[in-house]
């Protein structure tokens, strides 16, 4: 099973819980700190990902960390579930999907806009308006530049990609010319 599917399942389940308890922001922040802790500490990451280390030892390490950091009950239980299912080292991906899930449920989506150059404010505004009409939701835009696309924009909303780049148009034209 892909990490994307796994992250979606865990993120969605956690969103269900925190929306009922009203702990969305606190749990989100705690899990970001935990993901950073696990990813930046090589020995900790190795301990949780190494199959040669017994589950009981991993549990002891996690419980010790929980005792020291004192996260909310929801966060602590979620971390225990991830450990039990061998997914603790995938916490960053799960956090990303969890945040996306919370945004979706509140009527917000995030769109990634890749262009060959910095876009003027009017074009950014036009893109936002168009994407909000297209999705029927409020859209947060993240912009980046990739000169390899030559011109135009590539837009990603969730798993949907709208590729209006000059590079892709040239590649498609080349393929049509070659294949007749």
């Amino acid at each position: 099973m892909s990490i994307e599917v796994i992250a979606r399942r865990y993120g969605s389940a956690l969103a269900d819980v925190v929306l009922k308890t009203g702990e969305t922001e606190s749990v989100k922040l705690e899990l970001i700190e935990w993901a950073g802790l696990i990813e930046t500490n090589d020995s900790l990451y190795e301990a949780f990902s190494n199959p040669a280390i017994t589950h009981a030892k991993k549990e002891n390490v996690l419980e010790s960390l929980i005792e020291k950091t004192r996260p909310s009950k929801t966060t602590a239980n979620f971390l225990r579930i991830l450990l039990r299912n061998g997914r603790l080292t995938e916490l960053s991906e799960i956090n990303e999907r969890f945040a996306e899930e919370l945004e979706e449920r509140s009527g917000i989506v995030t769109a990634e806009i890749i262009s060959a150059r910095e876009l003027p404010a009017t074009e950014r505004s036009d893109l936002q308006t168009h994407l909000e009409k297209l999705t029927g939701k409020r859209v947060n835009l993240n912009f980046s530049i990739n000169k390899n696309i030559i011109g135009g924009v590539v837009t990603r909303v969730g798993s949907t990609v709208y590729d209006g780049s000059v590079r892709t148009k040239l590649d498609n034209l080349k393929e049509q010319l070659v294949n007749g």
Side-chain angles (χ1 to χ4, degrees):
M1 191 176 323
S2 78
I3 183 61
E4 189 175 309
V5 171
I6 291 163
R8 187 178 324 116
R9 287 183 182 171
Y10 281 100
S12 179
L14 183 58
D16 290 342
V17 171
V18 298
L19 288 171
K20 287 179 187 169
T21 63
E23 300 176 283
T24 54
E25 286 307 309
S26 62
V27 169
K28 191 162 70 169
L29 291 173
E30 287 175 345
L31 289 177
I32 288 170
E33 288 177 18
W34 272 88
L37 175 70
I38 292 169
E39 286 182 357
T40 58
N41 187 321
D42 291 338
S43 15
L44 197 55
Y45 185 88
E46 177 64 26
F48 287 130
S49 62
N50 188 338
I53 297 174
T54 66
H55 183 74
K57 286 182 181 176
K58 291 177 186 180
E59 260 181 0
N60 288 340
V61 170
L62 180 62
E63 290 304 324
S64 173
L65 289 169
I66 287 172
E67 190 176 312
K68 288 177 185 173
T69 60
R70 300 238 183 261
S72 68
K73 183 178 179 183
T74 302
T75 299
N77 287 340
F78 187 66
L79 293 168
R80 289 178 184 116
I81 289 168
L82 292 179
L83 178 65
R84 186 177 329 130
N85 295 321
R87 301 290 181 199
L88 196 54
T89 55
E90 295 161 359
L91 186 55
S92 284
E93 293 87 352
I94 293 168
N95 276 347
E96 285 177 28
R97 186 58 201 147
F98 171 60
E100 289 170 9
E101 187 71 28
L102 290 174
E103 283 182 349
E104 284 177 27
R105 292 183 188 196
S106 65
I108 301 171
V109 294
T110 299
E112 304 292 328
I113 310 292
I114 303 166
S115 59
R117 62 175 170 76
E118 186 72 31
L119 298 177
T122 54
E123 287 183 37
R124 289 175 179 236
S125 178
D126 290 346
L127 271 169
Q128 178 141 18
T129 303
H130 179 72
L131 289 171
E132 286 178 349
K133 285 180 186 173
L134 185 69
T135 62
K137 296 181 178 187
R138 210 170 86 221
V139 178
N140 287 334
L141 299 178
N142 292 330
F143 293 92
S144 63
I145 295 174
N146 180 346
K147 294 188 186 304
N148 291 332
I149 67 171
I150 301 173
V153 296
V154 177
T155 305
R156 180 186 316 270
V157 180
S159 61
T160 305
V161 176
Y162 303 97
D163 191 340
S165 68
V166 173
R167 166 63 60 206
T168 298
K169 290 177 182 175
L170 288 172
D171 289 345
N172 290 340
L173 182 60
K174 179 181 173 183
E175 190 173 314
Q176 288 174 354
L177 290 171
V178 169
N179 294 329

